[in-house]
Amino acid sequence: MPLLSTSPSRVASSRVNVLSARWWVRDGNGDVSVAQWPNPALAVWLLAVALGWTGALGSGRTATLDAVGSGALVAWAFDELVRGASPVRRVMGAVVLTVELVHLFG
């Protein structure tokens, strides 16, 4: 008896439909996983954006806030790309990482 054999009924029931919306938003446990909080890198980016919009630190610190925000967003995107709980989160990480790298080096 082969070690990797399965019955036909198990093969049919274990197929994954990657076009299904459920597959894109569910993690390995079957829970919906599109976003989660707290996320430290994303919180740093949001804080940097909010401080930049309000001008609370003055115009001389805008470049620093932009750099900190971009660094935090790159860290978040890379983390989602590598460890994202659902496929949609990995795709979001890849898209944001690509956009940020093009923005930084392009």
Side-chain angles (χ1 to χ4, degrees), residues 2-3 10 15 21 25-26 30 38 44 49 57 64-65 75 79 93 99 106:
L3 292 174
R10 286 193 63 188
R15 288 187 186 158
V25 298
R26 298 206 182 260
V44 168
V49 168
L57 297 180
T64 303
L65 279 175
D79 185 45
V99 168

Side-chain angles (χ1 to χ4, degrees), residues 23-77:
W23 180 80
W24 282 96
V25 298
R26 298 206 182 260
D27 64 8
N29 297 327
D31 299 326
V32 173
S33 179
V34 176
Q36 72 184 53
W37 194 261
N39 193 323
L42 205 53
V44 168
W45 174 74
L46 285 170
L47 183 63
V49 168
L51 286 173
W53 281 345
T54 63
L57 297 180
S59 61
R61 311 257 172 157
T62 304
T64 303
L65 279 175
D66 288 344
V68 168
S70 290
L73 198 55
V74 166
W76 171 82

Side-chain angles (χ1 to χ4, degrees), residues 82-95:
V82 173
R83 298 182 325 138
S86 65
V88 75
R89 288 178 61 176
R90 289 189 195 108
V91 169
M92 274 193 307
V95 168

